Amino acid sequence: MDKKTVGLSGGFKGQTTPKSFIKNAIKGTKHTIAISSAKGGVGKSTFAMNFALALKAVGSKVGILDADIYGPSLPKMMSINEKPKSEDGKSMVPVDQYGVQCMSIGFLVDEETPMIWRGPMVTSAIKTFTQKVLWNDLDFIIVDMPPGTGDTQLTFAQEIKVDGVIIVSTPQEIALSDVRRGIRMFDKLKVPILGLIDNMSFFKTEDGKNYNIFGEGGVEKLCIEYKKKFLGKIPINIDLRVAADGGTPLVEKDPDHKISKLFIEIAKKIKKNNF
Amino acid sequence: MDKKTVGLSGGFKGQTTPKSFIKNAIKGTKHTIAISSAKGGVGKSTFAMNFALALKAVGSKVGILDADIYGPSLPKMMSINEKPKSEDGKSMVPVDQYGVQCMSIGFLVDEETPMIWRGPMVTSAIKTFTQKVLWNDLDFIIVDMPPGTGDTQLTFAQEIKVDGVIIVSTPQEIALSDVRRGIRMFDKLKVPILGLIDNMSFFKTEDGKNYNIFGEGGVEKLCIEYKKKFLGKIPINIDLRVAADGGTPLVEKDPDHKISKLFIEIAKKIKKNNF
């Protein structure tokens, strides 16, 4: 190492090389699809909920596992206010909403309670959700991943058979740096990437003018760079946001909306090409 | 506990009650201000960089510590491509850019390398950045916090004298749930909250029409609910985003821009009311 500059010490570097692990499917489910973004706030949870409902709309049995322990979005986006039932005090029955089986840390604590937890506690919660929830005969479980490349991602990659990841990003340069790191993490951990979504792609005003608020074309370029599939663009849309805030995702609330149709197209494509 | 529903077990609950700790200021700095959001992607890093440069513009000596280990934004937003120097191989000299002392995990690894680290590694990196960096005679160190309420937040709250937190949010309902949790975390950990910023507040088109893309008024309402100071609104602005993507934050690139003036006003207000 150059005496005048510093990098990571050898010990730290070693930690980025993964060992190999035995991976099992989540019990009661056929396929696990993780929705990831590395960066937060790119509309990943809105995508996850609508994508899950789109898979249901095309005939699959679907569950959603909200793996974002620090910032669970599922309870609000799917308007669920009940605690999961338990027959034996150990396992949990997922909560059914709009015909989808759901689980979130937000079901176990009230909405405003922060989970001020260090990593090992997060890992333990993720293990509970993947091992102690009685998912029932699902074709797909959609996992809404937290931002980052830490405990939750590692736990899934090492212990769960994840059939594929969909990476959601806005086209903004600074978001794309995080996505690059996300792609390299999943490649390194040998989790297949199904493709990338360009979210909040543009904003169309009432008089039909398009604004590339977050830039343009960045996600497509990244797909070429890393040889990943480009799964499509979803524009910024106020109906989509209002439906998520209101507790009924747009695909469920208004399946004929042009944005809902985009989700249904993506769901069909994913099913046809991968499963 | 109701036999039919499950909550958190006692052991888990206990973990949310903090112990008390001895807190020291970061060496070489007078005041530590953390920029936080609980939720990612609300423009926290863009705010942090521009706010730091605004404090510099009003006469303070400023440093920025990028505490987002999984998604460092500082190297790109401040266009820094060099590794920090070290005289003894243990401590690090922060990198000077635009008259601001900077440190980020992004200086130590190449841009695309994901930090696939579990919590304890993150804690260790944060300790290095607060204990082994030779910050030099700073009035303010601005800490760009990661999303969430986990290891990084806990490490700062327990071991560092944080003089205040500025919480940045978009006005969207689903972001506000995360902000509620953030407020309660800092209150619980006894870190003073200086106030809240309503970011990406609205989007003004070229013909002067305003769109409340992410909703309206939510952050102000939250300030009333939790008795916190409302520090102002910053609209969605393409110049602001382009400057951040381009590596020279708008306050530095064009201090007379109307958005730069907003940042400078906020910096003056924070300095006058709190320090």
Side-chain angles (χ1 to χ4, degrees):
Chain A
M1 197 191 301
D2 184 337
K3 228 182 129 183
K4 285 282 173 195
T5 64
V6 283
L8 287 176
S9 67
F12 269 61
K13 266 185 190 157
Q15 299 290 333
T16 60
T17 315
K19 301 178 214 150
S20 51
F21 294 85
I22 298 158
K23 300 177 186 183
N24 295 310
I26 298 173
K27 223 178 150 182
T29 71
K30 279 200 198 80
H31 303 295
T32 300
I33 301 180
I35 313 297
S36 188
S37 69
K39 179 166 178 60
V42 296
K44 183 181 44 60
S45 296
T46 303
F47 179 87
M49 306 299 141
N50 281 288
F51 177 66
L53 287 159
L55 279 171
K56 189 200 73 170
V58 299
S60 300
K61 266 195 88 174
V62 184
I64 309 175
L65 167 50
D66 182 357
D68 193 344
I69 302 298
Y70 297 128
S73 299
L74 192 150
K76 191 152 215 135
M77 286 190 177
M78 297 284 281
S79 54
I80 298 174
N81 282 311
E82 59 185 285
K83 285 183 187 297
K85 289 198 170 66
S86 177
E87 291 299 321
D88 56 4
K90 285 178 194 161
S91 59
M92 286 181 279
V93 180
V95 176
D96 223 272
Q97 179 74 305
Y98 311 131
V100 171
Q101 297 171 31
C102 300
M103 184 52 67
S104 169
I105 189 87
F107 298 169
L108 307 180
V109 291
D110 84 78
E111 199 202 318
E112 296 173 13
T113 303
M115 297 286 98
I116 316 174
W117 283 356
R118 292 198 177 267
M121 296 287 291
V122 172
T123 303
S124 146
I126 294 298
K127 286 188 178 174
T128 302
F129 285 164
T130 50
Q131 293 168 4
K132 302 284 168 83
V133 176
L134 304 171
W135 304 101
N136 184 14
D137 191 27
L138 297 180
D139 296 312
F140 293 100
I141 183 159
I142 305 303
V143 182
D144 185 11
M145 297 290 270
T149 53
D151 291 279
T152 302
Q153 285 79 4
L154 267 170
T155 304
F156 270 95
Q158 292 172 345
E159 304 189 12
I160 314 280
K161 195 176 117 326
V162 177
D163 297 283
V165 182
I166 297 176
I167 295 181
V168 179
S169 181
T170 58
Q172 190 180 1
E173 257 312 308
I174 205 78
L176 296 177
S177 314
D178 286 354
V179 173
R180 281 198 171 85
R181 287 186 281 262
I183 292 174
R184 293 183 42 152
M185 170 183 66
F186 288 118
D187 281 352
K188 205 166 204 170
L189 298 172
K190 301 197 176 16
V191 178
I193 294 171
L194 301 180
L196 275 73
I197 293 283
D198 187 339
N199 200 29
M200 305 199 205
S201 206
F202 54 88
F203 178 65
K204 192 178 215 137
T205 62
E206 282 149 12
D207 44 348
K209 205 168 167 197
N210 280 351
Y211 286 88
N212 293 310
I213 294 184
F214 295 111
E216 198 187 358
V219 177
E220 260 180 290
K221 261 185 257 162
L222 223 59
C223 284
I224 296 166
E225 194 182 330
Y226 286 96
K227 300 194 178 62
K228 303 295 173 196
K229 211 170 276 175
F230 182 65
L231 297 173
K233 288 182 184 187
I234 298 173
I236 299 177
N237 183 281
I238 296 184
D239 296 337
L240 184 64
R241 194 263 305 158
V242 168
D245 276 354
T248 313
L250 194 63
V251 171
E252 181 68 20
K253 191 178 164 189
D254 183 1
D256 294 324
H257 193 289
K258 61 179 194 290
I259 302 290
S260 301
K261 285 179 179 164
L262 281 179
F263 278 101
I264 290 168
E265 276 317 301
I266 293 167
K268 278 185 190 159
K269 197 154 61 173
I270 292 285
K271 236 178 124 168
K272 188 173 158 240
N273 295 340
N274 304 281
F275 298 98
Chain B
M1 201 190 297
D2 184 338
K3 230 182 129 183
K4 284 283 172 194
T5 64
V6 283
L8 287 175
S9 66
F12 268 61
K13 267 188 188 153
Q15 299 291 332
T16 61
T17 315
K19 302 178 212 149
S20 50
F21 294 85
I22 297 158
K23 300 175 185 183
N24 295 309
I26 298 173
K27 223 176 149 184
T29 72
K30 280 200 196 80
H31 303 294
T32 301
I33 301 179
I35 313 297
S36 188
S37 69
K39 180 166 179 59
V42 297
K44 183 182 42 61
S45 296
T46 304
F47 179 87
M49 306 300 143
N50 281 288
F51 177 67
L53 287 159
L55 279 171
K56 188 200 75 172
V58 299
S60 300
K61 266 194 88 174
V62 184
I64 309 176
L65 168 50
D66 183 356
D68 195 344
I69 302 299
Y70 297 128
S73 299
L74 193 150
K76 191 153 217 132
M77 285 190 177
M78 298 284 281
S79 54
I80 298 174
N81 283 311
E82 60 185 284
K83 286 185 186 295
K85 290 197 171 68
S86 178
E87 292 298 320
D88 56 5
K90 286 178 194 159
S91 59
M92 287 181 276
V93 180
V95 177
D96 223 273
Q97 179 73 305
Y98 312 131
V100 171
Q101 296 171 31
C102 300
M103 184 51 66
S104 169
I105 189 86
F107 298 169
L108 308 181
V109 289
D110 84 78
E111 199 202 318
E112 296 173 13
T113 303
M115 299 286 97
I116 317 176
W117 281 356
R118 292 199 177 266
M121 296 289 290
V122 172
T123 303
S124 146
I126 295 297
K127 286 188 179 174
T128 302
F129 285 164
T130 52
Q131 293 168 4
K132 302 284 168 85
V133 176
L134 304 172
W135 303 102
N136 183 12
D137 191 27
L138 297 180
D139 296 312
F140 293 100
I141 182 159
I142 306 302
V143 182
D144 186 10
M145 298 289 271
T149 54
D151 291 279
T152 303
Q153 285 79 4
L154 267 169
T155 304
F156 270 94
Q158 292 172 345
E159 304 189 12
I160 313 281
K161 195 177 117 328
V162 177
D163 297 284
V165 181
I166 297 175
I167 295 180
V168 179
S169 181
T170 59
Q172 191 180 0
E173 258 312 308
I174 205 76
L176 297 177
S177 313
D178 286 355
V179 173
R180 280 198 173 84
R181 287 187 280 265
I183 292 175
R184 291 182 45 150
M185 170 182 67
F186 288 119
D187 282 352
K188 205 166 205 168
L189 299 172
K190 299 196 175 21
V191 178
I193 294 171
L194 301 179
L196 276 72
I197 293 282
D198 187 341
N199 201 30
M200 305 200 205
S201 206
F202 54 89
F203 177 64
K204 194 179 212 136
T205 61
E206 283 150 11
D207 44 350
K209 207 169 165 194
N210 279 351
Y211 287 87
N212 294 310
I213 294 183
F214 296 111
E216 198 188 358
V219 177
E220 260 180 292
K221 262 185 256 163
L222 222 61
C223 286
I224 296 167
E225 192 184 330
Y226 286 96
K227 300 192 178 66
K228 302 295 172 197
K229 211 169 274 175
F230 182 65
L231 295 173
K233 288 180 185 188
I234 298 173
I236 299 176
N237 183 283
I238 295 183
D239 296 338
L240 184 63
R241 194 264 305 160
V242 168
D245 276 352
T248 313
L250 194 63
V251 171
E252 181 69 20
K253 191 178 164 192
D254 183 1
D256 293 325
H257 194 289
K258 63 177 192 292
I259 301 289
S260 301
K261 285 181 179 164
L262 280 179
F263 277 101
I264 290 169
E265 275 318 301
I266 293 167
K268 277 185 189 161
K269 198 154 61 172
I270 292 284
K271 235 178 125 170
K272 189 173 158 237
N273 294 341
N274 304 282
F275 298 99

